[in-house]
Every structure is written in C-alpha cells, then in structure tokens.
C-alpha cells in the first residue's frame, strides 16, 4: 500500500487537521462507490435524524463533487493520470465514510443493506486490490482537494472536453453576435 508520506507529496499545501478525517479508498473501490453514488445519497436523504458527522461528511462530499465538475470529465474516476482523479478520490471517500457512518448503529436498515450490496460488488470486482498514486493517505473535511488544473493540458481526454466546451462557447458567441447584427439591419 502507498505510504502516507508519498500521499502527502501529491497533496496541495499544508494539511489542515481541523475537520473530520476521511479515510481514503483504493482506486478499485472508487468505481464501485461511483456506481452507487445515487443510492448512497438517496439513503442519506431519507435520514431523519442527523448528527454533526453526518452533515460534515455529506457537505464535504457535495463540495468535492462540485470541485470535480460533477464527474463529467472523462476518466476522472478510472484514470489515475486524470487531473480530476485526486479530487474524485476525495468525494468518493467521503461518500463511503458517510455510508459507513449511517450503518454504525445498525438501525438504518436501508444503509446496512446498501453497504452489503456495495461490499459484494467490491468483492466481485476485486476492488480492494487496485491501487493508484492517490490511494494512500486520507482526507479531511476542512481541506478541499481541487483538480490539478495545470495537468489538463497534458491529459488528452480532459483537453478534448475543455477544448470542445471552449469551441462550442465560441461558436455560440459568434452566432449570437451575427443574430444581433442581423436584427439591427
């Protein structure tokens, strides 16, 4: 397993330890948790009584998910070279921690059932065996992990996505300018 010091080498800035610790997950577990993201959030949304840990984990997962552009960047979960992989580790680790928190007392049967289904899925996929450079260390709810924006230029799938968005925006802007000019005439 990757040691904590090597994971710290891939983080940005000083580590803030004022939030809740969020244990990381393996690269293989990421895909499984990503596939069950909606189900985890559905179980969490039905939680009538919440505590501070629940709220902080859910908030952190949502913030990280938005920082990772809502998972729309190709390869953000599967490709460890993606500039969005590290931030994807963070939001998926938070979702896993949230689900485990919901199962702690055993009273939330929906959470227990979902955790069992996810565990079986992880076993079927040998998810605990697939590691990547971001699989070590842990996260903290007080420290948001941004994407590695500078690496977008060296990651072809990300470059294609953002280049396409830029091209579409430029074309839409040009079309609006033409439409505005034609209406004046």
């Amino acid at each position: 397993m990757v040691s904590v010091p090597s994971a710290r080498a891939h983080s940005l800035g000083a580590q803030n330890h004022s939030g809740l610790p969020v244990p990381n997950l393996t690269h293989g577990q990421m895909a499984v948790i990503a596939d069950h993201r909606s189900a985890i959030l559905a179980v969490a949304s039905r939680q009538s009584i919440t505590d501070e840990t629940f709220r902080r984990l859910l908030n952190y997962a949502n913030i990280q998910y938005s920082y990772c552009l809502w998972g729309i960047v190709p390869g953000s979960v599967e490709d460890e070279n993606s500039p969005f992989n590290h931030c994807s580790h963070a939001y998926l680790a938070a979702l896993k921690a949230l689900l485990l928190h919901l199962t702690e007392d055993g009273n939330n049967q929906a959470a227990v059932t979902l955790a069992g289904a996810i565990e079986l899925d992880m076993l079927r996929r040998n998810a605990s065996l697939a590691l990547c450079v971001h699989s070590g260390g842990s996260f903290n709810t007080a420290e948001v992990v941004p994407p590695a924006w500078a690496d977008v230029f060296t990651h072809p799938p990300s470059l294609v996505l953002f280049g396409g968005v830029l091209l579409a925006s430029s074309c839409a802007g040009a079309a609006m300018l033409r439409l505005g000019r034609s209406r004046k005439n």
Side-chain angles (χ1 to χ4, degrees):
M1 182 152 238
V2 179
S3 66
V4 172
S6 66
R8 297 241 191 270
H10 295 283
S11 65
L12 301 172
Q15 295 289 314
N16 183 340
H17 298 287
S18 64
L20 293 175
V22 179
N24 204 341
L25 66 172
T26 67
H27 191 71
Q29 291 171 334
M30 286 179 67
V32 176
I33 296 296
D35 288 348
H36 294 278
R37 180 183 170 277
S38 296
I40 294 169
L41 291 174
V43 168
S45 73
R46 291 189 302 268
Q47 183 70 18
S48 59
I49 299 172
T50 64
D51 59 10
E52 183 180 0
T53 300
F54 171 89
R55 290 186 299 273
R56 289 173 80 178
L57 288 171
L58 181 59
N59 186 50
Y60 183 70
N62 288 329
I63 289 169
Q64 277 300 146
Y65 188 60
S66 65
Y67 263 77
C68 293
L69 298 183
W70 308 278
I72 63 170
V73 178
S76 58
V77 172
E78 306 85 21
D79 183 1
E80 76 176 280
N81 295 317
S82 168
F84 291 83
N85 188 259
H86 194 207
C87 70
S88 294
H89 264 274
Y91 84 79
L92 293 168
L95 284 175
K96 180 183 173 193
L98 177 65
L99 179 61
L100 293 176
H101 180 70
L102 289 170
T103 64
E104 281 179 351
D105 62 10
N107 291 332
N108 187 330
Q109 192 54 48
V112 170
T113 301
L114 179 58
I118 290 172
E119 185 65 30
L120 285 174
D121 198 7
M122 285 186 185
L123 288 170
R124 265 192 303 276
R125 296 188 197 186
N126 291 321
S128 63
L129 301 177
L131 301 177
C132 78
V133 68
H134 302 295
S135 292
S138 63
F139 299 101
N140 186 298
T141 59
E143 188 169 49
V144 174
V145 179
W149 289 107
D151 294 344
V152 167
F153 300 105
T154 60
H155 186 252
S158 298
L159 191 58
V160 167
L161 174 74
F162 289 111
V165 168
L166 183 61
L167 180 63
S169 298
S170 298
C171 290
M176 291 180 79
L177 281 174
R178 278 191 179 174
L179 182 64
R181 287 182 187 155
S182 69
R183 287 190 177 174
K184 286 183 182 179
N185 295 335

